[in-house]
Structure formats: C-alpha cells, structure tokens
Amino acid sequence: MSVRAVITGTGRCLPSRVITNADLEKLVNTSDAWIQERSGIIERRWVEPGTGPSDLAVEAARQAVDMAGLAGEDIDFIIAATISPDYYFPGIGVLVQAKLGLSNIGALDVRNQCSGFIYSLSAADQYIRAGTYKRILVVAAEVQSTSLDFSDQGRDIAVLFGDGGGAVVVEARDAAEGRGILSTHLFCDGRFATELWMEHPSPKNFPTFQVEMITGRKTFPRMDGRKVFINAVERMPEAVLAALKHNGLEAKDISLVIPHQANDRISQMVMKKLQLSEDQIVRNIQRYGNTTAASIPIALDEVVREGRLKTGDLLALTAFGSGFTWASALIRW
Ligand code: UT7
C-alpha cells in the first residue's frame, strides 16, 4: 500500500497573559500606532516566569493527540521545532517526550527558525512515506518574551515577538484516500545568516559566556527588518508557486493559505502576489504577534477548530525567516 502523511490532530497553547501595545509602551520607546501600522499587531501573549516552550508544546500536543483519537503511547516519533529551547542543551524534544510520559521513542529537534514547523512537517512526511514511522507528533513552541531587548536597539523585534505553541499529529494513511501532504519544498540562503540572528552566547568565543556580552547587550536577537521584509514577500509566494507547479496545480486551486505570521503587511503582500481573496489567507498576528516556529500550527489549529477546512480542500503553508530559510507545504485536507 502506498502511504501519505495525513494531519489527524491539531492543538495550540497560548499563555493566558495578554500584553497589549499599550503595555509595551511602558517598557519600550514605541507606540500603539507605530506597531499597528508597521506590523498589524494589537496584542501578544507572554508566559509567566517558570514556563518553558516545552510546557506550551506539551499542552498543544495533548490536544492534538486527543483530536486524533489517539493515546500518548500510540505516538512513535517526535519532531520538535523551536529557536528558544528550554535549555542550551538538551533539546526540547526529549522534554516533550518525558512530560507526556511517552515510551523511549526518538525525538528530533529542528532548528530552522520561522520555517521550523514546515521543515519538521517535511521530515515527518519523509519518515511516513518511507514506512519508518506511522504516527508522528510534530510540535513547535517558543518563549521569546524573556529574551527581548527593550532598548531602542531592540525595539523592532521586541514589539513583534510573542510566546506560544502548536502541535499536529501526522499519521500514515492509504494514498488512495487522496488526502495528506502532497509535497514540501525547503530552501535556505545562509549568506543572510546575520540579518536575523542571536550572536551570543557562542562557543566560538573563549569562554562562551562573557560578562561583556551582557553589558554590551549582545545576547539579544538582532535583525535588519527591511532586508527580512523584502526577502519574505518574494520568497513566500515563490515557495507556494514551486509547490503548485510540482503538483500540476495553480493558485486558483488553493482553498486556504497559512503564511507564517511574521508581519501582517507581509501576509497581505503574499495574498496579493498569489491573487488570493481575504478569506483565503489566515491572519491572526493581530492577537498573538510573531510566534516564530509556532505561528503556523497555532493558526492551523484555529482554522481546524473553526471548521474553515473541509475534506478535499487544498491548504498551502509557507514560511520565511532567520537563516534565511523559507519553505512551503501543500496539503490535500
Ligand atoms: O519572523 C520572520 C522574521 N521577521 C520578520 O519577518 C520581520 C520583517 N520586518 C518587519 O516586519 C519590519 O521591517 C519591521 C516591523 C520590523 C519594521 O518596520 P519598517 O517599516 O521596516 O521600519 P524600519 O525598520 O525601516 O524603521 C522605521 C523607523 C526607524 O526610525 P528612523 O530611522 O526612520 O528614525 C526605526 O528606528 O521606525 C523606528 N522603529 C520604531 N519606532 C517605534 C523601529 N522599531 C520601532 C518601534 N517603535 N518598535
């Protein structure tokens, strides 16, 4: 039997603490008007101290496993994406395995930033097509609020990022059903690695951790926002078009696109470039900010629970971010 990877469960976990733009005005030299005009963001969620991304991932995972009608022991592999792991090492996947009380299955950590969820989904798809695993849990979670620079140097990023987690269960199904992941397309251009990055701490330095890194504000994420923006609006539609071409489909065949929620202006430009209507593109950055690897599975869970996806719909996912990395996935729902 030829198999396809089908998403059978989704889940999300957003911390209950809401941080509005007005709240940020008290911490950062910014304004509600600037944030809304430049990014579309109205509020985001921040964890309380003590909560790590693995906690958000685990809650999202429980919901996804439940929706799939499975129990934890049915999962035979974990793939976990984050740029903000609980620890420098080990990765987040093993923490998710332990907190869910799963048996000694493997857990793979993926470090592809905003594209991390699609990279993870791609890996899940290959394992399932190869017959290696049958039920894979894919999680993506970020706690970014604890490493923001509230000075003028970091205010571009500080107002964008939020915390959150999302999860899907991917299962092997008979390809004859016609459902599942049709293809994934992954790209990167490491020449732009320093355009959106967190340079320190780095093992390149001796010692890795130095007081001057903290006093010099070098342990915060930094970005050339304009360069990221210009590339994002080209690469995301390009990745979707590559996926459509590969499958002999056209943009008019798409039911719904979930772009990584980087900036609402980016999502709107993706919409225009693909000639989509407002109801064909998912935009929830207003409520959650940019949750990096978690943004797509969070949005996916929302649309699934709202009943916006029907069997047979063509769903496109696309992301762009640090690396630069970018990616797309085409899914027959
Ligand atoms: O998740 C994937 C990775 N991230 C992204 O995709 C983000 C991509 N980039 C962006 O979303 C946008 O570039 C930003 C929202 C970050 C910035 O918007 P922009 O329209 O590109 O603004 P800018 O960087 O060109 O800055 C315009 C001005 C600057 O002041 P001057 O030099 O014109 O006086 C900034 O210093 O806005 C200033 N600025 C701010 N002002 C108020 C930067 N951040 C802020 C802020 N509040 N938070």
Side-chain angles (χ1 to χ4, degrees):
M1 169 180 98
S2 160
V3 297
R4 266 233 190 108
V6 175
I7 294 176
T8 57
T10 63
R12 69 179 186 274
C13 177
L14 281 310
S16 56
R17 188 173 160 211
V18 176
I19 304 293
T20 63
N21 292 345
D23 293 328
L24 274 186
E25 283 175 355
K26 293 175 199 137
L27 294 169
V28 183
N29 176 18
T30 191
S31 68
D32 174 44
W34 190 95
I35 301 172
Q36 287 208 43
E37 189 194 314
R38 303 290 173 130
S39 72
I41 298 166
I42 297 171
E43 59 188 39
R44 72 286 293 140
R45 306 297 181 92
W46 285 6
V47 296
E48 297 290 350
T51 299
S54 64
D55 299 309
L56 305 179
V58 163
E59 173 52 30
R62 286 206 176 98
Q63 295 172 15
V65 170
D66 193 49
M67 187 191 285
L70 300 175
E73 60 264 27
D74 297 322
I75 299 297
D76 48 20
F77 195 62
I78 298 169
I79 306 178
T82 186
I83 64 161
S84 53
D86 296 49
Y87 307 115
Y88 203 55
F89 70 85
I92 182 177
V94 298
L95 305 180
V96 171
Q97 177 267 338
K99 288 179 184 180
L100 286 172
L102 305 186
S103 59
N104 302 132
I105 56 174
L108 173 71
D109 274 55
V110 169
R111 294 292 306 269
N112 289 84
Q113 304 72 247
C114 303
S115 310
F117 178 73
I118 299 180
Y119 268 73
S120 301
L121 204 60
S122 179
D125 185 32
Q126 312 313 316
Y127 279 126
I128 282 180
R129 284 179 193 259
T132 313
Y133 300 116
K134 291 194 163 48
R135 290 166 177 154
I136 302 179
L137 172 65
V138 179
V139 297
E142 307 286 3
V143 169
Q144 309 186 107
S145 58
T146 49
S147 51
L148 298 175
D149 180 2
F150 297 135
S151 78
D152 280 7
Q153 219 185 329
R155 63 181 175 165
D156 53 348
I157 289 181
V159 301
L160 292 183
F161 281 7
D163 302 339
V168 299
V169 170
V170 185
E171 292 191 68
R173 288 277 197 270
D174 188 344
E177 288 177 26
R179 299 182 60 211
I181 300 171
L182 302 181
S183 67
T184 53
H185 285 74
L186 311 179
F187 306 93
C188 83
D189 190 340
R191 288 174 304 166
F192 295 96
T194 61
E195 304 298 345
L196 174 49
W197 69 329
M198 193 171 126
E199 187 181 4
H200 297 292
S202 163
K204 273 200 324 191
N205 300 301
F206 186 85
T208 297
F209 295 88
Q210 299 172 15
V211 173
E212 302 76 53
M213 289 171 189
I214 295 173
T215 53
R217 312 190 77 79
K218 290 180 176 165
T219 56
F220 293 112
R222 299 284 180 225
M223 149 174 97
D224 181 334
R226 237 170 242 186
K227 206 170 269 180
V228 177
F229 193 105
I230 290 166
N231 280 276
V233 298
E234 292 297 328
R235 300 306 191 194
M236 287 210 272
E238 242 172 59
V240 173
L241 292 174
L244 289 167
K245 189 171 176 208
H246 178 83
N247 290 285
L249 295 163
E250 294 175 35
K252 67 173 174 48
D253 299 319
I254 295 176
S255 313
L256 204 61
V257 174
I258 304 180
H260 161 54
Q261 307 289 301
N263 178 324
D264 200 46
R265 286 192 294 145
I266 294 178
S267 298
Q268 289 186 38
M269 289 178 81
V270 170
M271 180 179 85
K272 286 194 186 110
K273 288 202 172 173
L274 293 173
Q275 297 184 319
L276 304 170
S277 58
E278 296 262 346
D279 59 343
Q280 283 175 296
I281 189 147
V282 178
R283 293 155 53 206
N284 67 2
I285 195 170
Q286 294 78 3
R287 287 174 283 132
Y288 304 135
N290 177 341
T291 56
T292 304
S295 87
I296 292 177
I298 289 171
L300 177 60
D301 185 57
E302 285 196 340
V303 299
V304 167
R305 289 177 196 273
E306 286 164 7
R308 279 176 76 182
L309 277 169
K310 307 270 179 285
T311 302
D313 279 355
L314 187 64
L315 170 69
L317 312 179
T318 185
F320 179 90
S322 161
F324 291 150
T325 61
W326 63 102
S328 66
L330 212 51
I331 300 166
R332 182 67 68 187
W333 199 256

